[in-house]
Amino acid sequence: MLTVTELTKKIKSMIESNFKTVEVTGEISTKFAAHYSGHYYFSIKDSGAVLDSIIWKAAAMKMNTNFKQGDKVVIKGRLAVYEKWGKYQIIVSSIKKEGKGNLFLEYENLKKKLEQEGLFNLEKKKLPFIPKKLALITARDAAALTDFLTIAQKRYPFTNIVIVPTQVQGRGAAKQIATSLKYASKIPEVDLIVLTRGGGSIEDLWSFNEEIVARTIVDINIPIVSAIGHERDFSISDFVADKRAATPSEAAELIYPEYDILIRNLNMIKSKLFYLVKNKLSNKEMLLLKEKQKFKDNILVIRNYREKIDFYKNTLENIINIKISENWETLQNYKEALQRKDPQVELLKRKNEIELLKSKINYLTERKINNHKQEITYLRSKLELLSPFKLLEKGYALIKDEDNKAISSSQNLKKNQKVKIILKDGDKIATIN
């Protein structure tokens, strides 16, 4: 029977003796930066596995280290086993870029697609000053959950947080995150949603780079804070959320004000308001005193005006009484004169004159009419004497041709000419022989 140490040593011996030099291609899946010691600790991966890698400080100084997460690289080195942790890793002797990794390209393509659709530029919803009820979406028992709750409750003891446990990495995680977002948005009184998890490789955080999560965040009407990974990590959910926090702890600091500072600020505001109100009241009191003095001054002015008014009133009454007396005497004189010239007498006189003129006009009118009647009778008798029809009554006849013209001479007649003979009682047609 072997101890753990004995077994690990055997594995170490087998791996290091059989893989003294290897060449591996993969995608850098963690931050590529020098440790404070000068060494580089990072991982490369493909779709099926992850390999821890180390570049010692001495080797790093002789090679290009201008790489970043998502770069596809080819590395050479030897395999080594770190016995304490029972992990194998590659000690890198050279590294060169081969291009961008598949996951990184997929991330870039989705980011570009959503950006072109305008999802990153939508108007961001305003976060509440202090949430009434907050829905926290993260993995059950995750460090992110503990970090967020610790900071939130420390800053603001009256938090009202509903935890929505959710799978945050692995197969089907993105779909479950989208479902949890929809569920959280329907919890009564929830006015803020926080989507969070701790740091990790690009594979660990990949669920937050999937399109279904991004579109679900956009469709929800409640403000959403995305706090994924560490400060250096940017996921698609960060771009579409209403607010991004670098870490779960920062999200809690962003959302909840420090209670003590809040109370202190409220007391300062209270004191400032008290001072402003007191100052305002003092100013108003001074204005009131000024107005009161003005009122007293105005009373004296009014009293002076009242005395003047009384004086003018008495003067005016005296003038009016004098004028009334003078006008009363004049009126009496006019009355006596009017009585001497009674209008009834004058009216009767004018009426008699009118009756006389009326009789005279009737006489002259009747006389004029009779004169015209006599003249008309005379002219009518004279006209009748001149009428040809009077001659017809005496036996005479009137002869006219076919054109109805009078024939006054026999010389105007022709043989067989037809003529009209007009007699007293009618007319006849005749033919001249």
Side-chain angles (χ1 to χ4, degrees):
M1 181 180 296
L2 298 173
T3 64
V4 174
T5 301
E6 289 171 342
L7 178 60
T8 302
K9 285 184 178 293
K10 284 183 176 292
I11 293 172
K12 174 181 174 69
S13 177
M14 288 175 62
I15 290 176
E16 291 183 356
S17 61
N18 285 287
F19 297 95
K20 290 181 180 180
T21 304
V22 293
E23 188 174 54
V24 185
T25 181
E27 181 180 328
I28 297 176
S29 62
T30 56
K31 182 180 179 182
F32 191 90
H35 190 261
Y36 70 87
S37 62
H39 308 315
Y40 284 79
Y41 298 95
F42 63 99
S43 298
I44 63 169
K45 54 84 186 174
D46 58 17
S47 60
V50 178
L51 176 63
D52 288 339
S53 307
I54 301 173
I55 305 176
W56 299 125
K57 179 179 178 180
M61 293 174 67
K62 298 176 183 179
M63 65 177 71
N64 177 20
T65 55
N66 186 24
F67 301 99
K68 60 181 180 298
Q69 184 179 352
D71 285 346
K72 192 171 184 181
V73 295
V74 177
I75 60 176
K76 280 185 180 181
R78 60 181 177 83
L79 286 184
V81 175
Y82 183 50
E83 296 177 53
K84 186 175 181 179
W85 295 104
K87 292 176 62 177
Y88 78 93
Q89 52 201 4
I90 184 169
I91 310 301
V92 180
S93 58
S94 72
I95 180 170
K96 63 180 180 179
K97 188 180 293 188
E98 193 177 50
K100 291 185 176 180
N102 294 331
L103 272 182
F104 186 78
L105 289 173
E106 191 175 338
Y107 168 87
E108 287 292 320
N109 289 336
L110 179 59
K111 181 182 175 185
K112 184 177 180 181
K113 175 186 175 183
L114 298 180
E115 190 171 17
Q116 288 177 345
E117 288 184 26
L119 267 60
F120 296 170
N121 297 321
L122 295 174
E123 184 178 354
K124 302 299 183 182
K125 294 180 282 295
K126 187 177 180 180
L127 273 58
F129 176 60
I130 299 176
K132 292 179 182 177
K133 184 185 287 187
L134 182 144
L136 181 62
I137 301 174
T138 190
R140 190 189 301 273
D141 301 326
L145 174 62
T146 304
D147 292 347
F148 184 90
L149 292 178
T150 300
I151 299 298
Q153 290 170 2
K154 181 180 178 182
R155 290 173 68 86
Y156 192 78
F158 309 105
T159 56
N160 185 4
I161 299 174
V162 179
I163 299 170
V164 183
T166 306
Q167 179 186 346
V168 294
Q169 72 180 74
R171 187 184 298 274
K175 187 174 181 181
Q176 190 174 135
I177 291 169
T179 301
S180 295
L181 283 165
K182 292 176 184 175
Y183 170 78
S185 69
K186 295 177 183 177
I187 297 174
E189 296 186 352
V190 164
D191 54 354
L192 183 64
I193 297 172
V194 176
L195 181 63
T196 187
R197 70 147 288 162
S201 66
I202 191 171
E203 295 85 8
D204 296 336
L205 305 178
W206 189 252
S207 300
F208 300 93
N209 291 325
E210 294 204 28
E211 189 169 354
I212 186 173
V213 173
R215 293 197 182 278
T216 303
I217 290 173
V218 170
D219 290 340
I220 289 174
N221 293 326
I222 297 172
I224 296 176
V225 175
S226 175
I228 310 301
H230 297 305
E231 188 166 355
R232 65 179 182 271
D233 301 318
F234 274 87
S235 62
I236 296 295
S237 65
D238 292 332
F239 294 111
V240 294
D242 298 292
K243 195 76 177 177
R244 183 224 177 214
T247 64
S249 298
E250 185 182 291
E253 291 173 353
L254 174 73
I255 293 165
Y256 290 105
E258 286 193 53
Y259 181 73
D260 292 340
I261 294 176
L262 187 64
I263 294 299
R264 188 161 61 248
N265 289 339
L266 286 173
N267 287 331
M268 287 174 60
I269 292 170
K270 180 182 175 182
S271 299
K272 189 174 182 180
L273 284 174
F274 180 78
Y275 169 76
L276 290 173
V277 170
K278 186 178 179 182
N279 190 45
K280 194 77 172 177
L281 287 174
S282 297
N283 291 337
K284 291 294 182 183
E285 189 175 1
M286 289 178 65
L287 287 173
L288 186 61
L289 290 173
K290 288 181 180 178
E291 292 298 323
K292 187 177 179 181
Q293 186 60 45
K294 282 184 182 178
F295 182 71
K296 288 181 178 179
D297 295 340
N298 288 336
I299 288 177
L300 294 174
V301 172
I302 291 170
R303 188 174 293 164
N304 291 333
Y305 276 120
R306 182 175 290 171
E307 291 175 357
K308 287 184 179 180
I309 289 170
D310 289 339
F311 170 74
Y312 289 131
K313 178 184 175 184
N314 293 330
T315 303
L316 186 61
E317 285 178 351
N318 292 331
I319 293 171
I320 290 172
N321 289 331
I322 292 169
K323 284 291 182 183
I324 288 174
S325 298
E326 292 175 352
N327 290 333
W328 179 256
E329 291 178 3
T330 303
L331 182 62
Q332 291 300 319
N333 293 333
Y334 281 132
K335 182 179 179 182
E336 291 173 2
L338 189 60
Q339 286 175 347
R340 288 194 296 270
K341 291 188 176 182
D342 190 350
Q344 292 294 333
V345 176
E346 189 72 19
L347 184 62
L348 182 60
K349 181 180 177 182
R350 297 299 178 189
K351 186 176 179 181
N352 292 333
E353 289 178 357
I354 290 171
E355 288 297 328
L356 181 62
L357 288 171
K358 183 178 176 182
S359 299
K360 189 174 181 179
I361 288 170
N362 287 337
Y363 169 75
L364 292 173
T365 301
E366 187 175 352
R367 183 179 174 183
K368 192 76 172 176
I369 289 171
N370 288 333
N371 290 339
H372 282 303
K373 280 183 179 180
Q374 291 176 5
E375 187 176 357
I376 288 168
T377 302
Y378 169 75
L379 291 172
R380 180 182 290 171
S381 61
K382 193 173 182 179
L383 183 62
E384 286 178 353
L385 291 173
L386 296 174
S387 173
F389 294 102
K390 285 289 185 180
L391 295 174
L392 295 179
E393 290 179 356
K394 294 180 179 181
Y396 293 99
L398 180 63
I399 300 172
K400 292 185 177 182
D401 61 13
E402 292 177 344
D403 295 329
N404 206 30
K405 292 181 180 179
I407 299 172
S408 58
S409 174
S410 60
Q411 293 180 358
N412 294 332
L413 295 173
K414 298 177 182 177
K415 190 175 181 179
N416 297 325
Q417 181 180 356
K418 292 188 181 294
V419 293
K420 181 192 289 186
I421 301 173
I422 299 171
L423 301 172
K424 178 183 72 172
D425 56 352
D427 50 78
K428 296 291 182 178
I429 301 299
T431 303
I432 303 300
N433 292 324

